[in-house]
Amino acid sequence: MQSYTIGQAARLLGVSPDTARRWADAGRVATHRDETGRRLIDGRALAAFSIEVGQGAAGEEDTPYTSARNAFPGIVTAVKLGDVAAQVEIQAGPHRLVSLLTREAVEELGLEVGMQATARVKSTSVHIDRT
């Protein structure tokens, strides 16, 4: 499973590295150290935490509005596979994006909970790029 540095997690959560570090220090999200001593967050733990953070930000008034052709880098929080279709959820800061795509596309991209991905929005379609 992929792990993320505090800086990477902060970018995916839409906060400063200092905020992500304070959350980790407070025990809101678990970290572990790699062989070089860097603090890392497990991808699945970050996915679960990003949902919590996103739900807490849902009522904030200062959430910026964006135009249609935007990229939302985030973390995959859910993958639901059907026989032909699939549903992928991404938490990008306070934004939860859901894309319906083919199962084949999800398998080709190797999408799974905890990995980094970018949702691209154009009109009413959400496209997923693996990053």
Side-chain angles (χ1 to χ4, degrees):
M1 172 52 52
Q2 186 170 354
S3 292
Y4 297 89
T5 65
I6 296 288
Q8 290 170 324
R11 186 176 60 78
L12 293 170
L13 294 168
V15 299
S16 72
D18 286 337
T19 297
R21 199 171 293 109
R22 281 192 298 272
W23 286 343
D25 291 344
R28 289 190 61 191
V29 62
T31 63
H32 62 278
R33 297 208 181 256
D34 68 5
E35 60 280 350
T36 65
R38 292 184 312 167
R39 286 184 7 175
L40 300 175
I41 302 171
D42 175 73
R44 288 192 182 272
L46 183 59
F49 183 66
S50 70
I51 293 171
E52 176 187 325
V53 170
Q55 289 172 342
E60 293 182 6
E61 295 296 326
D62 61 349
T63 301
Y65 291 96
T66 59
S67 64
R69 300 183 203 291
N70 286 302
F72 294 87
I75 188 166
V76 176
T77 57
V79 176
K80 298 173 187 160
L81 297 175
D83 292 336
V84 176
Q87 178 178 316
V88 176
E89 295 181 25
I90 293 180
Q91 191 72 38
H95 308 289
R96 177 180 165 264
L97 298 118
V98 179
S99 179
L100 300 176
L101 56 164
T102 65
R103 178 187 181 116
E104 180 180 8
V106 171
E107 291 172 346
E108 284 179 7
L109 290 170
L111 295 174
E112 60 183 42
V113 172
M115 80 180 342
Q116 188 174 349
T118 300
R120 297 200 182 275
V121 179
K122 180 179 186 244
S123 185
T124 59
S125 299
V126 176
H127 302 269
I128 306 294
D129 295 340
R130 180 175 173 181
T131 49

